Amino acid sequence: MEITNVEPIRLERALDTITRRGGTSEQNITVTPVVVKVHTDEGITGLGESFVFDPTGEEAKFLEHGINALSKKLVGRDPREVTRLWHEMYVEVKRSGAYRALSAVDEALWDIKGKNAGQPVYELLGGQVNEIKAYATFPHFKESERLVEDAVWLSEKGFEAIKIVGASVGVKHDQERIETISEDLPEGMDLAIDVNTSYNTAEALAVAETASEHDLAWFEEPISHLDVQGMAELNERVSVPIAAYQTQTPHYPAIEHLRADALEIYQPTLDLVGGITSANRVATFVEAFDKQLVPHTFGPLINYAASLHVVAASPACSLIEFAVFDDEIDDPGEFIASPYVKNQEAVYVQDGGTISPPEGPGLGIELDEDKVEEYRV
Ligand SMILES: [Mg+2]
């Protein structure tokens, strides 16, 4: 089998823009997907995906160029040689920084490998190990009382945890919110907080102590993702589990984090870390050190499906992020970021909070080509 063409497809965002404040800066973010189709001479087409937060679509052009730059290494090659091709692409990407392009292409190669074998990707990775529960990322800015109401709604669906975004006002505000929300959460629902690397060590320690007192499920990206030693010190001093890795590339830095005992929860982002290949290796490292894998999966659906396959096959993982992008939807288990996917119901949080990878061969995702044309930029 040979790759005949590598086609990046930039798509219009299907979601509203969310304004996110972190420390002194403010960011407008959304989910702007870039799909890649890897075509072959045997009629099998692989799908992969990454995305950018940038609502203007400018950063998506950078991603598209990255995929085009990698395509010269891929055309004429056997797409089933995923590991070999990953390493050849990595030689370029470690200098160019085009990790999102590498990630999307890697997912598409795994999709082809699965379709060719007639097996879902998680079977190629060794088969499903655990039942997967979804936790709800809730990126909406509201007063604590309103968030508690939403937590009740999410708890009724079966979500076991809600993650809120912190650091928008400051330490005291986060501490008050942790106290108020955690005390009023419905039975069986945990709280996690994500500050997206906004705090310095002293600020993070103050929030972490409050989070520990109130038994939060985890404290995410408390300080700079580069400060591995700082995260290790926090992780030693407080009982709340420290979580991070969503901004790391590829799987190799996980070794340094594990040696330093910097994190309890590892959150590789498939659409950035280097695709299924890299996330699966992070999973293996994490398992060896008896830590948890809970991938960062805020984003579009093809990439989400790829993440589900890795999660299903990892003994270190039984939890996955599920972003509830719309707080007025009837069913918060529906995936709404990717209307260009035909079989969207294949990625759905069941009542009770469980979620499974699609059962079809490869990633198990089919595109709605009319919608792709509608959303194509
Ligand atoms: Mg995060």
Side-chain angles (χ1 to χ4, degrees):
M1 191 188 296
E2 276 189 12
I3 296 172
T4 53
N5 185 23
V6 179
E7 180 193 1
I9 305 171
R10 282 190 287 127
L11 297 171
E12 196 77 58
R13 66 189 168 93
L15 298 173
D16 290 342
T17 299
I18 298 166
T19 302
R20 181 171 81 179
R21 283 174 63 188
T24 52
S25 63
E26 196 171 85
Q27 245 189 327
N28 290 318
I29 62 162
T30 186
V31 174
T32 305
V34 177
V35 171
V36 61
K37 284 186 182 176
V38 174
H39 300 279
T40 68
D41 61 351
E42 294 188 15
I44 295 178
T45 299
L47 299 176
E49 187 172 53
S50 188
F51 80 104
V52 295
F53 293 107
D54 167 29
T56 69
E58 287 302 311
E59 283 181 32
K61 293 180 189 168
F62 174 70
L63 173 45
E64 178 184 36
H65 285 308
I67 293 168
N68 285 333
L70 291 175
S71 75
K72 68 181 188 302
K73 287 198 139 331
L74 298 166
V75 171
R77 305 292 299 278
D78 187 335
R80 295 168 298 185
E81 295 189 319
V82 182
T83 303
R84 186 194 298 270
L85 292 175
W86 188 96
H87 278 275
E88 288 184 24
M89 289 189 286
Y90 176 60
V91 170
E92 304 289 329
V93 166
K94 69 184 176 186
R95 293 185 286 239
S96 73
Y99 280 98
R100 289 195 174 278
L102 167 65
S103 301
V105 169
D106 176 84
E107 291 175 5
L109 298 178
W110 277 101
D111 191 33
I112 292 171
K113 200 170 176 67
K115 284 171 172 166
N116 182 62
Q119 296 281 326
V121 167
Y122 73 84
E123 291 289 2
L124 303 186
L125 297 174
Q128 181 149 6
V129 188
N130 294 317
E131 184 179 72
I132 309 161
K133 297 279 294 202
Y135 80 84
T137 284
F138 204 67
H140 309 280
F141 292 89
K142 300 181 177 187
E143 293 303 312
S144 299
E145 294 73 24
R146 291 286 315 284
L147 280 171
V148 169
E149 287 169 24
D150 289 317
V152 171
W153 172 58
L154 296 168
S155 171
E156 282 165 0
K157 175 69 190 176
F159 288 104
E160 287 184 350
I162 179 171
K163 184 172 85 186
I164 60 168
V165 182
S168 57
V169 179
V171 167
K172 279 232 164 347
H173 184 252
D174 280 352
Q175 288 173 317
E176 282 165 15
R177 291 215 310 161
I178 288 169
E179 285 163 9
T180 317
I181 297 170
S182 63
E183 267 158 33
D184 290 335
L185 277 183
E187 184 72 28
M189 182 130 217
D190 287 332
L191 178 67
I193 188 164
D194 184 358
V195 301
N196 297 292
T197 72
S198 297
Y199 282 138
N200 64 34
T201 310
E203 291 166 333
L205 181 60
V207 174
E209 282 172 345
T210 308
S212 299
E213 282 163 28
H214 292 269
D215 287 329
L216 258 61
W218 66 86
F219 184 15
E220 183 166 326
E221 289 202 306
I223 57 174
S224 166
H225 66 294
L226 299 173
D227 188 0
V228 177
Q229 201 50 50
M231 286 189 285
E233 282 168 28
L234 270 180
N235 198 33
E236 199 190 338
R237 286 181 70 168
V238 295
S239 65
V240 66
I242 303 299
Y245 209 78
Q246 73 176 65
T247 359
Q248 293 291 339
T249 54
H251 44 280
Y252 305 116
I255 297 167
E256 188 193 352
H257 288 70
L258 288 160
R259 280 195 185 131
D261 199 13
L263 306 173
E264 296 304 313
I265 297 173
Y266 286 74
Q267 304 172 304
T269 309
L270 263 77
D271 53 76
L272 175 69
V273 74
I276 290 171
T277 299
S278 290
N280 192 47
R281 290 179 184 182
V282 173
T284 304
F285 299 159
V286 164
E287 181 212 336
F289 282 75
D290 208 18
K291 303 296 184 187
Q292 286 182 66
L293 183 88
V294 184
H296 173 268
T297 52
F298 186 97
L301 202 155
I302 300 171
N303 177 70
Y304 195 92
S307 308
L308 276 170
H309 287 283
V310 171
V311 166
S314 169
C317 185
S318 55
L319 190 66
I320 192 167
E321 174 172 28
F322 190 90
V324 179
F325 294 110
D326 187 340
D327 57 349
E328 289 177 358
I329 197 171
D330 285 340
D331 183 349
E334 278 179 26
F335 203 105
I336 60 166
S338 304
Y340 49 87
V341 169
K342 193 195 273 177
N343 60 332
Q344 294 189 48
E345 72 291 345
V347 174
Y348 174 68
V349 180
Q350 305 288 333
D351 293 347
T354 57
I355 188 165
S356 304
E359 275 304 325
L363 298 178
I365 294 300
E366 294 164 49
L367 291 180
D368 179 333
E369 296 293 350
D370 291 339
K371 281 274 196 290
V372 170
E373 290 316 309
E374 195 183 308
Y375 279 86
R376 192 192 281 261
V377 177

